[in-house]
Amino acid sequence: MEIVSKNLNIDFMRVRRAAVILSILWLIAAAAAIAIRGLNFGIDFTGGTLIEVGYQQDVQLDSVRQALADGGFDGATVQRFGTPRDVLIRVAPDAASEEKNSAEVSDRVLRALSAAADGEVDMRRVEFVGPQVGDELTEDGALAVLVALIAILMYVAMRFEWRFAVGAVAALAHDVLFTVGLFALLQIEFDLQVLAAVLAVIGYSLNDTIVIFDRVRENFRKMRKGTPASIVNASINQTMARTIMTSGTTLVVLLALFFLGGENVYGFSLALIVGVLVGTYSTIYVASAVALWLGVSKADLMPVKKEDVVDDRP
């Protein structure tokens, strides 16, 4: 089945300056959101109390939130955990720090829920995550993203050319800052699942970039005429069917996860959806545009000729 015409000829690079300006404006807004509003870190990073309770019948999350608010836990996060009768509650450290004993937090939560419930509420599990553990996870998470970007820079530079490596890393940094900035702007909880999604976005975006760069290198060696911009355009058009198939099928799965997966995977699926869309955009208008801006040319990608060995034996 032919998804796009073989003669597809969209001039993507014609609007690359406008696209780069748009990306810069958004990245400034994302950086400002992170600096001013900050990330709404989940209990994995901040520490706090994780409580799992079970009801005798199905329960609405709004009624659980109201019961917790009446009990003095306004900032608690409530989500389903398995069946409609099981609920997972995360209590932020600000609320827990007022307690003399951290175990009292779970007792207060259980009393608040039992007072508002029609039947009995069972305490299934209580876990405490210390702030020190949260700090370690924060540092390790940031370090993981930094190490991944440096490793990718080295890999692309060795496989292609340093201009492509700079373009690829610029696109990945763009995707990460865009996604994290959106979470800061909307104050969506940022936990370890979202961090894993951000790392997955790096891998996905890089894969898309490598496919197009590989075709660009092939076309630079094969096409005798044409400017670097026209060759990049031709490469993007030639890989458009693959891009649509890969991104489209991935988005179908992620949208199903977003709408049907429940609150447990809400942040994870949202980060991946944003990352796939932005990653596809940045491959064309950030990675390729930066490589062109740095002056990549046919001479940079031609195979190195081996020097002839002179036989000077008598």
Side-chain angles (χ1 to χ4, degrees):
M1 183 178 66
E2 188 175 277
I3 299 177
V4 297
S5 171
K6 293 181 179 177
N7 299 320
L8 184 69
N9 186 25
I10 301 174
D11 190 359
F12 292 99
M13 293 296 102
R14 185 171 61 87
V15 294
R16 65 180 184 274
R17 288 189 177 86
V20 169
I21 292 173
L22 182 66
S23 293
I24 292 174
L25 291 176
W26 168 252
L27 293 184
I28 292 174
I34 296 172
I36 297 173
R37 297 173 64 89
L39 288 172
N40 179 21
F41 285 116
I43 194 172
D44 298 326
F45 291 96
T46 63
T49 307
L50 186 69
I51 304 167
E52 181 186 347
V53 296
Y55 284 80
Q56 298 297 320
Q57 60 278 330
D58 295 354
V59 62
Q60 297 297 321
L61 293 183
D62 289 339
S63 63
V64 176
R65 292 190 182 97
Q66 185 60 47
L68 289 171
D70 295 340
F73 298 98
D74 292 328
T77 302
V78 180
Q79 63 186 88
R80 298 198 184 281
F81 191 75
T83 71
R85 301 181 180 184
D86 300 323
V87 178
L88 192 66
I89 301 168
R90 301 166 189 259
V91 180
D94 287 341
S97 61
E98 297 176 357
E99 304 296 331
K100 295 180 181 179
N101 188 336
S102 55
E104 294 181 10
V105 176
S106 59
D107 293 337
R108 279 190 58 195
V109 168
L110 185 61
R111 285 198 298 270
L113 297 178
S114 299
D118 294 333
E120 185 177 354
V121 181
D122 298 326
M123 180 72 71
R124 301 281 177 79
R125 175 168 59 107
V126 179
E127 292 182 6
F128 304 102
V129 180
Q132 291 300 322
V133 175
D135 290 342
E136 290 179 8
L137 290 175
T138 304
E139 295 174 2
D140 291 346
L143 185 61
V145 174
L146 182 62
V147 170
L149 290 178
I150 293 174
I152 289 168
L153 177 67
M154 296 172 62
Y155 166 73
V156 179
M158 288 188 293
R159 179 171 175 183
F160 292 94
E161 215 264 339
W162 70 268
R163 296 174 179 84
F164 283 159
V166 174
V169 171
L172 297 181
H174 169 276
D175 300 343
V176 171
L177 188 55
F178 189 105
T179 307
V180 175
L182 184 66
F183 273 71
L185 187 65
L186 302 179
Q187 287 294 288
I188 302 172
E189 184 176 300
F190 193 94
D191 55 19
L192 282 181
Q193 290 186 5
V194 177
L195 176 62
V198 171
L199 292 173
V201 166
I202 292 176
Y204 179 88
S205 180
L206 177 66
N207 182 58
D208 212 29
T209 303
I210 292 297
V211 169
I212 291 182
F213 280 177
D214 200 44
R215 184 58 62 93
V216 170
R217 179 174 60 181
E218 181 182 337
N219 284 337
F220 262 121
R221 296 173 177 176
K222 187 170 61 177
M223 299 172 67
R224 295 182 177 276
K225 297 181 179 179
T227 63
S230 65
I231 293 175
V232 170
N233 258 329
S235 304
I236 295 172
N237 281 292
Q238 290 169 8
T239 55
M240 185 54 61
R242 176 261 172 202
T243 301
I244 293 175
M245 283 292 293
T246 305
S247 301
T249 51
T250 305
L251 282 175
V252 168
V253 175
L254 292 176
L255 288 173
L257 201 62
F258 180 79
F259 288 108
L260 304 176
E263 294 190 29
N264 284 341
V265 293
Y266 172 77
F268 177 79
S269 55
L270 177 62
L272 284 176
I273 290 172
V274 173
V276 169
L277 293 174
V278 177
T280 303
Y281 160 84
S282 68
T283 298
I284 299 174
Y285 287 113
V286 178
S288 301
V290 168
L292 285 176
W293 179 69
L294 292 174
V296 68
S297 64
K298 181 190 290 286
D300 299 322
L301 299 171
M302 294 302 290
V304 179
K305 292 183 178 180
K306 296 182 179 178
E307 296 182 359
D308 295 334
V309 178
V310 178
D311 189 356
D312 57 353
R313 290 178 296 181

